[in-house]
Amino acid sequence: MNLHPPPGLTHFISILLTICLLGLAPSVILAQDQLTAPPSQSDQSSLEDDYLWDDEEELIIFDPIEPFNRAMFWFNDKLYFYLLKPVARVYRIVPEPARESVSKAFSNLGTPVRFVNATLQLKLKEAGTELGRFVINSTIGILGLFDPARGMGLKKHEEDFGQTLGHYGAGPGFYLVIPVFGPSNLRDGVGRIADSLVDPITSPYYLELKQLEEIGLKTYDQVNDLSIDKDTYEGIKRDALDPYLFVRSAYMQHRAAKVEE
Amino acid sequence: MKLMMKSAWNFSRGLSLLGLLLLVMALPAQAAQGPLSQLEQSVNQILEILRNDDVQGDERREQLSDLIRQRFDFKTMAQYVLGPQWRKTSLADKDQFTKLFSDLLEASYIGKIEAYTDEEVTFAKEQIEGRKAKVGTLILTGTTEIPIDYRLVSNNDAWLVYDVIIEGVSLVRTYRDNYREIVRKKGMAELLVRMEDKLAEIRQDDTAG
């Protein structure tokens, strides 16, 4: 849903990029379980702990703007329950296979972003796969409504600019909840802006949809996905002691794993 | 809240799929005592209960609960979740925490075992390293694939699950991050109170339907 970048935005992006790449916001401190006490205090159980998790890196999450983030989390929560979810629920009258096809078609439109970022990371095989998938699914798959490429062994690889930055060593920076868009971090937020320049729906360089069309399509994509989703967020709200902390941890872990791939 | 967050949300979708994995995992039989085959065995027993329509409601849940508790090492999980706090905690509180933590996990996920049926597992592998093992599975949904890994530890020939990793998100670590923050800010006593309240809330929600 990013709008055409106003003059000066590119400048802003490059500043952010520089900050990111310089690693001024290092939020992942890879410490070998630095919080466990020295061995002298260890009992049997902590030795077991060290053994079971010795190949894991401790992911420390940096959230200096937590009050702001919690406010945005609250806002997004209301947006979800009072607007997006009710619409998605009504929309569920459309049969599920049709909704899955819509989801695949949008995913097909996401090819340029995945292709560009796979290429930037020099994952040439992945980039080739994306290209092949696009050609097959846009033709035999009827504008991406179906995914025959998957059956041919060409599997989709999620790539975005946040991962590209991570691939070249940028840390995630601080945790950031973006209004409407949800959980993110400094690096991925920058990545999102960069990707919107490549994404056919939002790109100012080709297709050049009107702003209202962009917003409409992006919202439709999300509502469609929400209609397929099995009330994940409701589950988190129900089960977690503090849903904000739960989402924050899960998001940061997920992105770290994505960069690692 | 979910605009453009598709992939990031798969992990949490995967959390709900945790139950389904237990349901539909059709793993090839391997060496009798390996972690993969032991996990598979538990799954088959769970399947059997779910297919048996004679057992319903509380009785069914109890049977499922017994099977899950045999395969999951809740004590090890609870210990890791509490982290450095574990040593500072009194024996009574440790026991209470472990019990609340297992009950909470169970209350959160057992209902989901019964809810998911239509996805399939396409791939599984096992990797053993000393007393630890990782069993990897891949769940195929209508639109995407979700990798789910289990980490197991052997304990007198039994392989017990001590973590579940969905799309790179460790279940235990997520709880750890969550609880640690609460202990740090509010203290252990408050954490136990909030866990008790949450458990009551989930159970109420379950009986309400």
Side-chain angles (χ1 to χ4, degrees):
Chain A
M1 211 195 282
N2 288 296
L3 319 174
H4 291 164
L9 181 63
T10 353
H11 200 68
F12 173 70
I13 295 172
S14 51
I15 292 171
L16 272 182
L17 266 177
T18 320
I19 294 173
C20 222
L21 291 170
L22 286 177
L24 283 179
S27 87
V28 167
I29 298 161
L30 303 174
Q32 207 68 279
D33 208 7
Q34 52 166 229
L35 290 159
T36 37
S40 56
Q41 288 177 28
S42 296
D43 52 28
Q44 181 63 32
S45 50
S46 71
L47 290 174
E48 178 81 348
D49 249 30
D50 292 345
Y51 174 69
L52 294 180
W53 274 276
D54 64 357
D55 53 349
E56 294 292 304
E57 291 146 345
E58 188 74 22
L59 181 85
I60 301 209
I61 296 164
F62 189 48
D63 189 3
I65 52 165
E66 186 173 335
F68 168 83
N69 282 339
R70 280 196 184 266
M72 291 309 114
F73 189 79
W74 178 88
F75 171 81
N76 289 339
D77 177 88
K78 298 297 169 233
L79 185 70
Y80 178 86
F81 281 112
Y82 293 115
L83 188 65
L84 295 176
K85 198 56 195 243
V87 174
R89 231 175 250 134
V90 172
Y91 174 66
R92 274 182 185 156
I93 51 168
V94 176
E96 180 145 3
R99 287 182 278 126
E100 282 181 352
S101 273
V102 169
S103 174
K104 283 172 186 160
F106 274 116
S107 170
N108 194 45
L109 281 177
T111 304
V113 170
R114 291 191 298 272
F115 174 76
V116 165
N117 285 295
T119 308
L120 287 175
Q121 293 172 51
L122 301 178
K123 295 177 177 168
L124 299 181
K125 200 176 152 215
E126 252 182 43
T129 303
E130 281 303 323
L131 210 57
R133 281 178 54 80
F134 187 74
V135 171
I136 293 166
N137 288 348
S138 301
T139 52
I140 307 173
I142 315 171
L143 299 174
L145 287 170
F146 302 94
D147 186 1
R150 186 159 96 169
M152 300 176 194
L154 297 178
K155 284 181 190 161
K156 183 169 82 173
H157 293 276
E158 290 295 350
E159 293 293 352
D160 53 56
F161 200 62
Q163 289 180 57
T164 300
L165 291 174
H167 181 78
Y168 289 106
F174 55 80
Y175 183 62
L176 179 66
V177 182
I178 308 177
V180 183
F181 296 99
S184 189
N185 56 45
L186 181 60
R187 180 194 65 208
D188 296 341
V190 169
R192 181 185 285 283
I193 297 170
D195 285 334
S196 74
L197 303 178
V198 178
D199 184 335
I201 295 176
T202 49
S203 175
Y205 305 119
Y206 63 111
L207 280 190
E208 300 189 32
L209 299 178
K210 292 196 188 76
Q211 217 176 77
L212 211 61
E213 294 168 335
E214 292 178 3
I215 296 172
L217 280 171
K218 280 294 174 193
T219 309
Y220 179 41
D221 183 11
Q222 267 339 110
V223 167
N224 185 69
D225 276 352
L226 274 186
S227 78
I228 295 169
D229 171 74
K230 294 184 169 124
D231 301 336
T232 307
Y233 183 58
E234 283 86 339
I236 293 174
K237 284 269 284 189
R238 190 187 88 133
D239 296 333
L241 286 190
D242 183 341
Y244 173 82
L245 294 179
F246 190 98
V247 171
R248 185 176 80 182
S249 170
Y251 178 80
M252 293 301 248
Q253 286 184 60
H254 177 70
R255 293 297 295 180
K258 279 275 176 212
V259 168
E260 193 83 350
E261 269 172 17
Chain B
M1 126 156 250
K2 297 202 168 181
L3 289 192
M4 291 176 78
M5 288 307 303
K6 261 182 294 190
S7 67
W9 279 91
N10 278 341
F11 74 83
S12 36
R13 238 192 119 187
L15 273 186
S16 342
L17 289 167
L18 185 76
L20 119 88
L21 176 81
L22 293 171
L23 246 189
V24 293
M25 209 164 49
L27 306 172
Q30 296 234 338
Q33 292 308 315
L36 191 144
S37 57
Q38 289 195 13
L39 198 58
E40 184 194 10
Q41 210 180 341
S42 294
V43 168
N44 286 340
Q45 287 170 319
I46 287 170
L47 270 173
E48 223 168 277
I49 294 173
L50 289 172
R51 285 188 188 134
N52 183 359
D53 289 334
D54 298 341
V55 187
Q56 292 288 348
D58 287 350
E59 203 188 334
R60 169 189 270 192
R61 289 223 166 166
E62 212 166 288
Q63 289 187 6
L64 288 173
S65 162
D66 284 348
L67 278 170
I68 290 165
R69 278 165 195 265
Q70 278 168 30
R71 186 53 63 204
F72 279 74
D73 187 348
F74 285 116
K75 193 165 174 257
T76 298
M77 290 170 124
Q79 219 167 280
Y80 181 74
V81 164
L82 225 42
Q85 181 65 29
W86 183 261
R87 268 186 296 280
K88 297 182 215 147
T89 305
S90 72
L91 211 61
D93 278 358
K94 276 181 192 168
D95 285 349
Q96 200 200 350
F97 177 79
T98 306
K99 183 172 186 326
L100 279 171
F101 177 72
S102 337
D103 287 354
L104 266 175
L105 269 188
E106 188 179 290
S108 298
Y109 297 110
I110 208 165
K112 285 159 189 147
I113 293 180
E114 293 169 311
Y116 286 78
T117 49
D118 54 342
E119 277 93 354
E120 57 170 309
V121 173
T122 54
F123 171 77
K125 63 171 187 233
E126 86 181 339
Q127 196 184 322
I128 305 173
E129 187 205 312
R131 288 179 47 235
K132 290 186 287 186
K134 213 174 215 176
V135 173
T137 66
L138 200 61
I139 295 201
L140 194 71
T141 73
T143 48
T144 185
E145 279 167 0
I146 301 174
I148 299 188
D149 291 346
Y150 286 83
R151 303 189 75 186
L152 303 98
V153 58
S154 74
N155 185 353
N156 301 327
D157 285 347
W159 286 95
L160 302 177
V161 176
Y162 69 91
D163 198 9
V164 184
I165 299 152
I166 301 154
E167 290 225 17
V169 181
S170 146
L171 178 79
V172 176
R173 189 181 284 183
T174 307
Y175 274 87
R176 178 185 169 118
D177 284 350
N178 204 328
Y179 287 14
R180 189 160 63 185
E181 192 86 355
I182 294 170
V183 170
R184 200 169 60 81
K185 286 193 177 143
K186 305 275 163 85
M188 191 64 201
E190 167 83 8
L191 175 69
L192 291 172
V193 169
R194 285 177 69 172
M195 287 171 81
E196 253 163 18
D197 290 351
K198 184 49 103 176
L199 190 60
E201 196 184 306
I202 296 176
R203 285 185 172 154
Q204 172 119 38
D205 186 53
D206 269 354
T207 37

